[in-house]
Amino acid sequence: MNPFYIFMLICIIVGCKKEPLQNEVALQRIASIPTVQITSDKIVPIDSVSLYQYKSKELIHLYQSADFVTIWGKEKIRKTILEQLSKSDEEGLNPLDYNIIKLMDYERKIAVLTDQELANFDILLSLSLQKYISHLTNGRVNPSNIYKKWDLKENEIDINETIFQLLKSDSVSKKIELLKPNHIVYKRLKNALKIINTFPKDDFKKIEIIGKISPNDSNSALIGIKKRLIYWKDLQPKDSLSMIYDSETVKAMKKFQTRHGLGADGIIGRGTIESLNFSKKQRKEQILVNLERWKWFPKNMGNEYVIVNIPDYKLSLVNNQDTVQTHRVIVGRPKRKTPVLSSRLTQVIFNPTWTVPPTILREDVIPAILKNRSYLTQTKIRLYDRNGNAVPLYNWSLLNAYNYRYVQIPGKFNSLGMVKMIFPNRFSVYLHDTNHRDFFEKTERSLSSGCVRVDNPLELTEYLLNDPIHWNLEKITETLQKEKTEYATIKKKVFFHLLYWTAWSDTSGLIFRDDIYNLDVVLYKRLGN
């Protein structure tokens, strides 16, 4: 075989390996792109052998398609791409990852570059743009490598076809803009990054208190607390600060608590102090990791969809970009995390039975039976053998405990409540009502075993079934009163997105939520910023 083809085959195989991220320092924004007069559409040949050093299959394919000549001769297109790369930090990315300094140096000297230097410039610009497109559409980190409970498909993108479309486009900047996440939350995250960059450097000492601080209390820690509230613009600046928890500070504290998803009661406790002790650097890191996450999420969530933000304990029903319903939810506790996934809502089950999952059986139910032999009777759980035959409760023994199927019969006492909503997924989780509706009054609601409990689920159910004759609220109530299991198909095309983000912004300023599954720090380390 021709040695050239053997060499090319080896390089393509090697090129399939993903290039590691570079751990580089932050780069200040390059103010402007230089203007030079050169002949447009200048074309020079590309030596195919010179492409192999980059170990990129996509790069080789790009120039194969271009007959191994330069493709970035048009100054206007080139300048637009350089501008996009130089301000990639607005997307939570690092311009240094795209060789911006070297590219700008080439651009400044382009009038005097040799043909070989023009070829090198062209190749480097192509390589950098390919990486930028990849990062915009799927992020810099593979989420499945760090999140066990993750089931989102990678956003499909033909990078080279996208580049050829850019070359043909009358508006390169608009084409690149279409590659970015278009969801309102991503836009609010970008705004959050702008906002936090306006804050000065902070050098506050850690605040520590014993117990709680209530309105009108006097406490030496209030000096530091007020400084933090002033810094984050929840409290107006003052000439002097007292140790009294006055009404103005209480009002500012409630605003701070609301922005951080805390109970806005004005009481300063452990959770409030922990949020106050976050530095600007930590909050900026939190914004950056969420910008990365949103690049993993589906670009098109559907015209009508249900979206759950796990750390915000909130479900939103969205139709044609308008939020038509919101519901409080309860999600999985840290040891039994709720997964991140996308699916489609398909079915409603009224008066569901509940088959005890293996983890709950092992960690909750069997220990409860050993502690109280009447547990199965009290919770109305029935036993079935592997053939589906009912087993008398008095036959239960620890020796055979894992040979039974444990099923709780329908009713208000049922752990799933009165209604269950199905969306196909490999984690066997679903939306459901609960027999502990008082839990929705809690501020921190990571309390379940992985499934998502919904407050006021009947309103959501009626909307999803979209059948005012057979499944209006009155008919649903009649069905529930029978306490017999019934099924209804969701005929509307309603997508379901179970996602995780801990930062954004709105009209009140920066918004943060507790990183309940401790995912932010792990991701920031992987990004290597």
Side-chain angles (χ1 to χ4, degrees):
M1 185 182 290
N2 190 314
F4 170 82
Y5 292 110
I6 296 174
F7 185 52
M8 184 173 177
L9 179 62
I10 293 171
C11 290
I12 289 174
I13 294 170
V14 173
C16 292
K17 296 181 180 179
K18 194 166 183 180
E19 186 177 357
L21 291 173
Q22 299 297 315
N23 185 7
E24 300 176 297
V25 297
L27 174 73
Q28 292 184 347
R29 173 67 45 77
I30 294 171
S32 62
I33 294 174
T35 301
V36 292
Q37 298 297 321
I38 64 166
T39 304
S40 292
D41 299 321
K42 182 173 182 180
I43 297 174
V44 301
I46 297 286
D47 180 5
S48 59
V49 176
S50 68
L51 299 174
Y52 301 149
Q53 62 181 301
Y54 298 100
K55 300 179 181 179
S56 170
K57 178 175 64 176
E58 285 180 336
L59 188 68
I60 293 172
H61 287 170
L62 177 67
Y63 283 102
Q64 275 181 326
S65 301
D67 294 327
F68 292 104
V69 297
T70 54
I71 61 178
W72 303 111
K74 288 187 178 180
E75 180 181 3
K76 184 179 178 181
I77 293 178
R78 196 174 61 247
K79 293 272 186 87
T80 301
I81 292 170
L82 289 173
E83 183 179 12
Q84 290 287 328
L85 297 179
S86 70
K87 63 178 184 179
S88 59
D89 56 337
E90 293 179 0
E91 311 300 326
L93 302 172
N94 187 347
L96 288 174
D97 285 339
Y98 315 110
N99 307 294
I100 190 62
I101 294 176
K102 193 168 185 178
L103 288 172
M104 294 299 291
D105 188 49
Y106 272 131
E107 185 64 34
R108 279 189 291 271
K109 300 174 182 177
I110 196 163
V112 296
L113 293 180
T114 65
D115 283 0
Q116 182 59 57
E117 288 171 331
L118 284 171
N120 292 342
F121 182 18
D122 205 88
I123 293 169
L124 190 61
L125 183 55
S126 296
L127 191 68
S128 299
L129 182 58
Q130 285 177 332
K131 181 185 277 190
Y132 182 56
I133 292 171
S134 175
H135 289 176
L136 276 184
T137 52
N138 281 296
R140 297 159 59 192
V141 173
N142 185 343
S144 60
N145 290 339
I146 53 178
Y147 297 159
K148 292 181 180 179
K149 291 201 168 184
W150 182 273
D151 196 17
L152 291 181
K153 292 180 180 178
E154 185 174 305
N155 292 307
E156 293 184 1
I157 180 77
D158 186 327
I159 293 176
N160 286 343
E161 176 60 27
T162 302
I163 287 176
F164 287 126
Q165 291 298 322
L166 290 176
L167 287 166
K168 298 174 188 175
S169 176
D170 293 330
S171 178
V172 174
S173 58
K174 286 184 180 179
K175 283 283 185 183
I176 293 178
E177 197 64 30
L178 292 174
L179 299 173
K180 302 173 184 178
N182 191 43
H183 198 278
I184 185 63
V185 175
Y186 184 78
K187 294 175 180 177
R188 289 175 175 174
L189 269 165
K190 287 177 64 174
N191 187 52
L193 185 58
K194 287 181 181 178
I195 292 171
I196 203 160
N197 282 335
T198 65
F199 282 84
K201 185 178 179 180
D202 59 339
D203 56 355
F204 297 114
K205 294 180 180 179
K206 187 176 180 180
I207 300 170
E208 295 181 358
I209 64 170
I210 297 174
K212 297 180 179 180
I213 303 176
S214 300
N216 299 317
D217 283 355
S218 179
N219 193 303
S220 59
L222 281 163
I223 300 293
I225 290 171
K226 290 179 181 181
K227 286 181 179 178
R228 291 294 180 103
L229 293 175
I230 292 170
Y231 177 83
W232 291 114
K233 300 182 181 179
D234 294 307
L235 180 65
Q236 290 295 319
K238 294 182 174 298
D239 294 332
S240 61
L241 300 174
S242 72
M243 293 188 292
I244 299 173
Y245 193 18
D246 56 85
S247 60
E248 187 178 0
T249 307
V250 172
K251 183 179 178 180
M253 179 55 70
K254 288 180 179 179
K255 180 183 176 183
F256 177 89
Q257 289 172 329
T258 299
R259 290 195 302 105
H260 292 77
L262 303 166
D265 54 9
I267 305 296
I268 305 173
R270 178 182 56 82
T272 299
I273 292 297
E274 287 178 357
S275 293
L276 283 166
N277 278 328
F278 266 75
S279 66
K280 173 191 172 181
K281 179 178 180 293
Q282 289 173 307
R283 289 306 188 193
K284 183 172 179 177
E285 290 173 1
Q286 197 171 355
I287 293 168
L288 290 173
V289 298
N290 281 281
L291 281 166
E292 169 74 5
R293 263 191 210 111
W294 269 94
K295 295 179 180 74
W296 304 336
F297 296 163
K299 292 293 184 287
N300 182 6
M301 297 205 174
N303 187 58
E304 195 166 15
Y305 60 90
V306 169
I307 185 169
V308 175
N309 181 12
I310 297 169
D312 195 26
Y313 311 119
K314 183 179 179 181
L315 178 152
S316 299
L317 174 61
V318 180
N319 187 357
N320 198 25
Q321 299 185 355
D322 288 331
T323 301
V324 294
Q325 287 185 26
T326 59
H327 297 258
R328 294 178 295 183
V329 297
I330 293 168
V331 300
R333 50 188 175 271
K335 288 186 177 180
R336 300 179 186 176
K337 297 178 179 65
T338 294
V340 174
L341 58 84
S342 281
S343 186
R344 179 180 168 182
L345 289 156
T346 57
Q347 188 181 55
V348 173
I349 304 175
F350 296 107
N351 296 312
T353 59
W354 178 52
T355 300
V356 181
T359 301
I360 297 177
L361 178 64
R362 181 179 65 254
E363 297 181 4
D364 299 337
V365 172
I366 290 178
I369 296 171
L370 293 174
K371 189 175 181 180
N372 176 12
R373 299 301 293 228
S374 299
Y375 176 82
L376 294 174
T377 303
Q378 292 170 357
T379 55
K380 300 184 187 291
I381 291 178
R382 305 290 183 258
L383 299 181
Y384 298 89
D385 63 22
R386 292 176 178 177
N387 296 318
N389 301 312
V391 176
L393 297 183
Y394 57 76
N395 280 357
W396 186 92
S397 68
L398 183 59
L399 182 65
N400 296 315
Y402 292 100
N403 295 329
Y404 306 131
R405 183 162 56 91
Y406 297 69
V407 181
Q408 191 176 40
I409 65 174
K412 295 178 181 178
F413 49 82
N414 189 284
S415 295
L416 304 186
M418 308 291 284
V419 63
K420 172 182 176 181
M421 286 163 268
I422 302 296
F423 47 92
N425 67 91
R426 66 184 178 89
F427 300 103
S428 300
V429 296
Y430 37 82
L431 297 174
H432 66 90
D433 183 23
T434 178
N435 58 344
H436 289 291
R437 295 183 179 89
D438 53 313
F439 286 179
F440 289 109
E441 301 304 319
K442 295 178 178 288
T443 302
E444 298 177 6
R445 296 194 295 276
S446 52
L447 307 167
S448 82
S449 294
C451 289
V452 179
R453 307 176 195 173
V454 184
D455 193 21
N456 297 321
L458 299 189
E459 180 184 1
L460 177 61
T461 302
E462 183 184 26
Y463 181 95
L464 293 174
L465 292 175
N466 193 33
D467 188 345
I469 296 176
H470 300 97
W471 291 116
N472 56 46
L473 198 56
E474 183 179 352
K475 294 286 186 181
I476 289 173
T477 303
E478 289 176 4
T479 300
L480 294 176
Q481 289 173 343
K482 296 175 186 177
E483 295 195 350
K484 290 184 179 180
T485 303
E486 288 196 35
Y487 302 84
T489 300
I490 299 174
K491 298 177 182 178
K492 296 176 72 179
K493 194 173 185 179
V494 183
F495 292 96
F496 181 73
H497 306 288
L498 195 50
L499 306 178
Y500 190 102
W501 72 94
T502 61
W504 66 97
S505 67
D506 64 13
T507 54
S508 65
L510 296 170
I511 307 294
F512 297 103
R513 291 295 180 265
D514 284 346
D515 179 20
I516 57 176
Y517 295 162
N518 196 32
L519 302 180
D520 287 351
V521 174
V522 174
L523 177 53
Y524 190 77
K525 288 180 179 178
R526 288 295 185 98
L527 287 173
N529 289 324

